[in-house]
Amino acid sequence: MVGGQWPGAIERLALQLGQAQAADRRVDEAKKHESPTRPKRDDFEPAEYQRRLHAYVQTPEYKAADRELRISVALSKAHDAALLHAAGKLLARSSRGDRPPRRLPQPRILPGGHAPRWWIDTINRTYGGIWRAVPAPGPELRLGSADDPLVQEVAKQARLLQASRVGYRKRDTLYEAYIPDGTAFGGRSLPLVRGLGPEASRRANLLLGRGSGMRVQPGRDEEFDQLHTDYFAVWDRSRAYTAAVLSLLRARV
């Protein structure tokens, strides 16, 4: 590595990881908050439970807890996305023998702790830019041999992040429009659109609203579950990747 600025840069990344971990814990705490006045499903008949639940979600108590959860989730996403950008940038520079950047990418958080609805919606819609930050395996190999456990861990976490991006991109491609037959899971797939192949027909049927239902294509539930799992794991994996990068960089300083 070049110059004596690396220890400080590495510790700034470690501080950022700590902030992202704290933001994730805030989400966990917000999820645990459940009012004792919330109706319990097992205590009522279905219709009465739905009536009481509808009344409960109109209360100021519920709305405050729900807003706290939405803010916590958006803040955590912003932290994780910036963290992954920072870890990837630092690893890439170190692998080239360059100096560290003067500043690491930071979460796009409004000053004063403000979290208006438009900001929350923007983070949720753009995922905080995390998909653009997903790294490819490779730079770590310039910092050690392929059988080095620290190098292997960074490569492993990079592959898991790649799987998360595949989950994000492909999970919606497994749905199809279909015609239910009245049973819980039965029904028939729509025929192919004349002149189109299977995949183009699937997209056209969904786009045009054909059929009277939508489901995961038969026989692809296991694949869908894996894509779904990988997709939602991206936030935890961003922190795991950064932790692996930190271990590798600290060992090379």
Side-chain angles (χ1 to χ4, degrees):
M1 293 185 183
V2 179
Q5 299 173 330
W6 275 100
I10 291 170
E11 292 314 306
R12 288 198 301 275
L13 181 63
L15 175 62
Q16 199 164 331
L17 173 59
Q19 293 170 338
Q21 291 168 333
D24 180 60
R25 289 193 295 271
R26 179 180 173 181
V27 173
D28 288 339
E29 290 301 315
K31 287 179 178 178
K32 290 177 184 176
H33 179 78
E34 183 173 296
S35 169
T37 63
R38 182 186 180 95
K40 303 293 190 296
R41 184 183 296 273
D42 294 340
D43 292 346
F44 305 98
E45 293 295 324
E48 178 63 12
Y49 168 74
Q50 291 298 328
R51 187 189 70 78
R52 289 175 177 259
L53 182 63
H54 178 74
Y56 168 73
V57 300
Q58 307 304 315
T59 63
E61 183 181 28
Y62 169 81
K63 291 179 179 179
D66 181 63
R67 175 168 171 77
E68 172 62 22
L69 178 57
R70 289 188 288 108
I71 291 172
S72 299
V73 169
L75 284 169
S76 185
K77 287 179 178 179
H79 276 285
D80 287 343
L83 181 70
L84 194 55
H85 275 286
K89 177 175 285 192
L90 217 55
L91 180 63
R93 293 224 179 180
S94 66
S95 70
R96 298 193 300 265
D98 294 342
R99 294 183 181 276
R102 291 181 178 274
R103 296 184 68 256
L104 295 177
Q106 296 295 311
R108 297 179 179 177
I109 296 173
L110 296 179
H114 297 297
R117 182 61 180 266
W118 67 262
W119 177 82
I120 295 173
D121 290 344
T122 298
I123 293 294
N124 290 333
R125 185 178 65 255
T126 63
Y127 299 90
I130 198 167
W131 303 114
R132 296 193 304 273
V134 170
E140 64 278 358
L141 292 173
R142 302 189 189 101
L143 298 180
S145 64
D147 59 356
D148 183 330
L150 295 177
V151 171
Q152 290 176 346
E153 182 62 18
V154 174
K156 170 190 169 184
Q157 296 302 330
R159 288 193 298 271
L160 288 172
L161 283 165
Q162 288 287 332
S164 287
R165 184 159 60 181
V166 171
Y168 164 65
R169 289 177 172 175
K170 289 190 62 178
R171 64 195 175 95
D172 290 340
T173 68
L174 301 188
Y175 287 107
E176 69 168 14
Y178 81 114
I179 302 174
D181 63 6
T183 62
F185 302 103
R188 60 186 177 87
S189 302
L190 293 174
L192 298 181
V193 177
R194 184 186 297 274
L196 298 180
E199 178 57 20
S201 291
R202 183 194 68 81
R203 293 197 303 268
N205 284 328
L206 287 171
L207 181 65
L208 297 173
R210 292 173 173 163
S212 53
M214 186 176 72
R215 67 181 179 186
V216 176
Q217 298 171 53
R220 305 190 73 176
D221 292 288
E222 185 174 341
E223 181 184 359
F224 175 82
D225 289 345
Q226 185 60 56
L227 291 173
H228 200 259
T229 297
D230 285 332
Y231 160 62
F232 280 108
V234 68
W235 311 104
D236 290 335
R237 289 172 180 177
S238 69
R239 282 172 257 121
Y241 176 81
T242 301
V245 168
L246 276 170
S247 295
L248 178 59
L249 293 181
R250 281 171 169 162
R252 299 298 180 264
V253 171

